[in-house]
Amino acid sequence: KSIAEESNAGGGAAAKPKESSSITEHLESVFGQAIASAFPEFRDTPVIIAPVNSTSAKFGDYQCNNAMGLSKKLKEKGINKAPRDIATELKGHCPASPIIEKLEIAGAGFVNVFLSKDYASSALSNLLRNGVTPPEVIKKRVLVDFSSPNIAKQMHVGHLRSTIIGESLCRLLEFLQHDVIRINHLGDWGTQFGMLIAHLEDRFPNYLNESPPISDLQLFYKESKKRFDEDEEFKKRAYSRVVSLQKGVPNSIKAWELICNVSRKEFQTIYERLDISVKERGESFYQSRMLSVVEYLRGKGLLEVDEGREIMWPDDTKTGIPLTIVKSDGGFTYDTSDMAAIRHRLEEELCDWIIYVVDSGQSTHFNTIFKAAERSAILNPLSHRVDHVQFGVVLGEDGKKFKTRSGDTVKLADLLDEGMKRSLQQLESRGRDKVLTPQELKDAQESLAYGCIKYSDLCHNRISDYIFSFDKMLEDRGNTAVYLLYTYTRICSIARNSGEDFTNLPEILKKTNIVLAHEKEWKLAKTLLKLHDILIKCSKELFLHFLCEFCFEVCTVFTEFYDSCYCIEKNKQGDIIAVNHSRILMCEATAAVLRQCFYILGLKPVSKM
Ligand code: ARG
């Protein structure tokens, strides 16, 4: 029975949960209706629903905390009503919902919600029948600007963070059915190309006919920089190459492309190893749009001349740091390209959401760009959302900036190689090389290596700095990729070892009900059903560590379940004497939920590890 029969005093239509709505959202709608019907003058009050974290089952699963606030508001109007009484009225006005088993008033005026087992059981059956479906959200056209390394410079650990976080955000938003545009805002433009081109002309005079074998572009960069600083004649030529590049003179464009290709190849191998997909649209793409955005801003009277430069203040107070839109030599800057880019994204790409995944060091830059875009009517905060998804720096185990032993910056390819080496050692230390076939071992090694590098980045609050430690990330206990991947593999093996075929789930579901009688079965069911809440929370706040914590919770709650609930019963001889179908279905549901989360987090589970 639901609460309808007892307490539907409000009389509103029963609240029907959409299969695709999250539990929190459904409860928000139930209590929203209750507030509107019991206290119509406060119908716009935001509903406060919180999951109950208490281990004690007597407080229920979720809680509505609106009574205290409503009591205050009533008092302002001269009406005295105790929060507990308000809570009772809210309870009485809640429309019937199949999700809710019962409501109880507790403490100062909380309404505790107890979820219905029938609902949970059918929700899990649906999940097994249809796969994990996304919660319903308002669809947006969202551009994610991530990775974005710079040509001729090392792609460093900061870019690695942006790459990992950006890829996972895209996967999350794509799963939620948003229209996602993945953009690599490559640093492929700017005055440094003048000296690189001039140096190329000298070192490889035949570059137009034969691809120059530049093996170390960083070194090439250093050489050209040295000449630029020491040789006046070279410097002049470098400047003239910047001009010819911006004008689009074919030879300079060709030289520039050759140089870019060297870096591009290096970046691509990293992307392939980490399974990253991103479309290149570097700063050079905006050359003509920089010219037009400057005209646009000038036309609006927003540019001010300051010591020969043209600057723009983020707002009318003219405080803070202005953007440099045109340099005194007439050239453009990083600010100019970001103004051109935001305009292109909003006005031409027609995005309504832009996400920049860039280190915290650039937060002033992005705040200024956002304000300036608003001031110049490029961005309308009522219809556009812009986020700087910032992250902290990567530290070594000594707590200092991440460097190699000799003090050099760490090459990403070397870092990934080291991860491969360490994960093989991890597998060997557990004797896995003796049981797995060479192919299985290699798959497990890759899954562990890249999985642990991604996961150790994603599982912390991205804003804080994080300590890069292979030892820590390869631990098989705690909230690590290793623990999650092992647990997943174990879960998958349960159905396989039952001696029965669990591949045709829709067929099996016709004959089997999911029973949630045991306390641990019920706990696991409720944990799994939090998935939609978590996904929505992650996409609202753009934090992925919530999803990692959820995976860890699923694995630990699963382990509790598995320890106290027999899925397969064996006799003393080790023969299977009973298979609990409902529980095996719970295992399969757990695996399905984890699989979806792993995909978003970039973890590739393997069937044997
Ligand atoms: N290339 C820049 C860097 O390495 C990051 C670019 C980020 N995106 C942007 N639209 N500014 O610092």
Side-chain angles (χ1 to χ4, degrees), residues 65 119 158 194 221 229 238 280 314 322 349 525 530 540 558 560-561 590 605:
N65 300 343
Y119 155 74
Y221 182 94
D229 292 338
E280 180 182 324
E349 280 281 14
K530 278 199 270 186
K540 273 194 183 146
F558 176 84
E560 285 178 34
F561 155 84
T590 308

Side-chain angles (χ1 to χ4, degrees), residues 7 9-10 31 34-35 37-40 67 74 81-94 105 111:
S7 60
F31 281 93
I35 293 173
S37 113
F39 305 99
L74 284 166
K81 207 171 232 180
R84 260 192 97 92
D85 297 333
I86 294 174
T88 310
E89 278 187 51
L90 288 181
K91 178 185 167 194
H93 282 80
C94 278
I105 312 299
V111 187

Side-chain angles (χ1 to χ4, degrees), residues 145 148-150 159 185 187 283 334 338 345 356 358 362 366:
D145 173 326
S148 311
N150 303 313
H159 297 122
H185 192 79
E283 292 174 29
Y334 189 53
D338 263 323
R345 291 163 183 187
Y356 297 82
V358 188
Q362 299 196 28
F366 285 109

Side-chain angles (χ1 to χ4, degrees), residues 95-109:
S97 159
I99 285 191
I100 303 172
E101 177 67 28
K102 62 174 179 180
L103 297 173
E104 269 176 18
I105 312 299

Side-chain angles (χ1 to χ4, degrees), residues 39 78 172 225 233 281 334 348 397 429 543 589:
F39 305 99
L172 169 70
K225 177 83 170 84
E233 194 275 328
R281 191 185 282 160
Y334 189 53
E348 291 184 58
E397 286 179 85
S429 74
F543 282 109

Side-chain angles (χ1 to χ4, degrees), residues 145-151 153-154 156 159 162 183-188 283 286 334 337-338 341 345 356-359 362 365-366 369:
D145 173 326
F146 72 105
S147 194
S148 311
N150 303 313
I151 297 289
K153 292 192 198 150
Q154 188 70 250
H156 54 69
H159 297 122
S162 172
I183 291 297
N184 193 355
H185 192 79
L186 214 58
D188 65 353
E283 292 174 29
Y286 301 99
Y334 189 53
S337 66
D338 263 323
R345 291 163 183 187
Y356 297 82
V357 189
V358 188
D359 63 272
Q362 299 196 28
H365 168 73
F366 285 109
I369 292 287

